[in-house]
Amino acid sequence: GHKDQPALNNWLTDSPWSDEELDKARKCLAKEELKTKNIKHAVLIVDDTLNHKSGKHIEGVNIHFDHAEGKTSLGHQLVTTHLAAGKYSIPVDFALFQRDQGQPDFKSKNELAKQLIAKAISDGFNFDTVVEDVWYFNYDNTSYIESSGKDWVAGCKINRLILFNGKEVSLADFLKTVPPEEFKEVTLNTSDGERTFLTYARNVTLMRHCQRVRVVFSYEDKVEGEPKVLATNRLNWDAKTVVETYLLRWRIDAFYRDAKQELGLEDSEVRKLQGSKRHWLMVFLADTLLRLNPKAERL
């Protein structure tokens, strides 16, 4: 009954309300909206973000490498999934990654990613394709996605080895054999307006995966320097479809930005992990309600 900060903290950490029931209601609301709008095709995006913290005694915090700042930072690292369905952009789930310190229940970020993909399926979210960045692109993840009946598109390092003319060569060396005139122009409408890419697509055998994949080399403006490399299990997709699908990744980046700057994703003031998780759940709920409100302005 009090309005001070300790009362709010107690409500987050010790009150007996059900996190699971609240999140189930949030997801039902999102699925009903997508069903009403007859949206049948969607993409599930997997990524992670670091919630910076200053207190070493906050439960669940670790030292993690912060790719945005190029150095290690203290914080909670969350692996999350996000649904891009038509005009809708909806946060789906999160899982806390904690560094391996000998704990018996340790799970890597890749293991957490697979759990979140499985949960999205069991929760009834309809999506065709999983989109991942370079870090999550490995055979363990892609084979799991395919075994779940889904396709995938991922960022790919240019030093990956492929089988070419009976020899193992890197994608970088293979690219040297491709004449610049082989690159085709692709124009896409993106969040930043109309963008033009120069692309070259080829089906290759990826050595580490021991499977045929479609690789797309993509430049913006001109064929110069190191390209962005994408890979997919869809051998029949054209370059435009692959690039267009991968570019949906910006939606999870936009969510991280809005959630931190506008909705307080990093701003919980509790020490117990239960309170932190409930705080993150509230942020997911707030963002979902804003996304589903047709009268809401841009965040």
Side-chain angles (χ1 to χ4, degrees):
H2 298 281
K3 297 181 180 180
D4 54 18
Q5 187 66 41
L8 177 59
N9 292 349
N10 285 335
W11 178 74
L12 280 173
T13 59
D14 299 319
S15 293
W17 57 276
S18 171
D19 313 35
E20 292 79 10
E21 287 300 315
L22 178 62
D23 203 37
K24 182 179 178 181
R26 176 184 73 89
K27 291 174 179 176
C28 284
L29 189 69
K31 288 184 291 184
E32 287 172 5
E33 178 70 13
L34 297 177
K35 184 177 180 181
T36 299
K37 296 297 188 292
N38 199 30
I39 296 176
K40 298 179 180 178
H41 301 287
V43 164
L44 189 74
I45 308 157
V46 179
D47 207 351
D48 57 77
T49 188
L50 183 63
N51 290 344
H52 299 86
K53 310 304 293 185
S54 57
K56 294 182 179 180
H57 300 293
I58 299 173
E59 192 176 358
V61 300
N62 288 121
I63 297 292
H64 299 281
F65 185 77
D66 187 348
H67 293 278
E69 297 186 5
K71 62 180 183 179
T72 57
S73 298
L74 183 70
H76 289 126
Q77 183 144 52
L78 300 183
V79 180
T80 80
T81 46
H82 201 89
L83 196 73
K87 69 175 184 179
Y88 292 100
S89 179
I90 301 168
V92 179
D93 266 311
F94 62 80
L96 176 66
F97 168 71
Q98 295 181 273
R99 299 183 66 86
D100 187 1
Q101 297 174 321
Q103 64 270 41
D105 58 347
F106 169 75
K107 289 183 175 59
S108 68
K109 286 197 286 185
N110 285 306
E111 289 172 318
L112 294 175
K114 287 187 290 185
Q115 285 187 356
L116 293 178
I117 293 169
K119 196 167 188 305
I121 294 172
S122 65
D123 284 339
F125 284 101
N126 293 320
F127 58 94
D128 309 305
T129 308
V130 176
V131 174
E132 308 171 315
D133 67 5
V134 170
W135 199 95
Y136 289 95
F137 181 39
N138 56 69
Y139 180 70
D140 193 33
N141 281 345
T142 58
S143 60
Y144 175 78
I145 292 167
E146 290 180 34
S147 70
S148 301
K150 309 296 181 182
D151 297 314
W152 53 267
V153 175
C156 179
K157 291 183 178 179
I158 200 167
N159 62 357
R160 288 291 188 97
L161 296 178
I162 64 171
L163 185 65
F164 179 62
N165 289 339
K167 298 180 181 179
E168 289 187 19
V169 299
S170 69
L171 286 170
D173 288 336
F174 168 75
L175 182 62
K176 295 175 184 177
T177 69
V178 180
E181 56 268 22
E182 291 291 322
F183 282 79
K184 306 301 180 184
E185 190 174 284
V186 168
T187 301
L188 297 172
N189 291 317
T190 72
S191 60
D192 299 321
E194 192 174 89
R195 294 168 64 183
T196 299
F197 301 89
L198 294 165
T199 63
Y200 175 79
R202 178 75 173 262
N203 292 346
V204 300
T205 299
L206 200 60
M207 297 305 299
R208 185 171 292 182
H209 290 226
C210 298
Q211 72 175 123
R212 297 285 286 176
V213 301
R214 190 158 184 80
V215 172
V216 175
F217 299 92
S218 176
Y219 292 95
E220 198 158 3
D221 300 326
K222 57 184 177 180
V223 181
E224 187 175 284
E226 185 173 306
K228 178 71 177 179
V229 186
L230 306 176
T232 179
N233 65 318
R234 290 302 301 264
L235 303 180
N236 60 334
W237 277 8
D238 58 29
K240 180 177 181 179
T241 302
V242 177
V243 175
E244 193 170 39
T245 301
Y246 186 78
L247 284 178
L248 291 171
R249 270 199 73 253
W250 75 267
R251 296 196 185 184
I252 199 169
D253 292 330
F255 165 70
Y256 291 152
R257 182 192 65 237
D258 293 335
K260 291 179 179 181
Q261 295 180 1
E262 310 292 345
L263 300 177
L265 184 64
E266 296 181 302
D267 298 342
S268 63
E269 298 181 7
V270 294
R271 286 193 175 187
K272 292 182 181 180
L273 185 55
Q274 169 74 348
S276 295
K277 288 181 176 179
R278 284 178 163 180
H279 178 89
W280 304 330
L281 175 58
M282 289 295 172
V283 173
F284 272 51
L285 173 60
D287 187 87
T288 301
L289 292 174
L290 287 167
R291 301 290 179 187
L292 298 183
N293 181 2
K295 297 181 181 179
E297 296 180 359
R298 290 174 58 85
L299 289 176

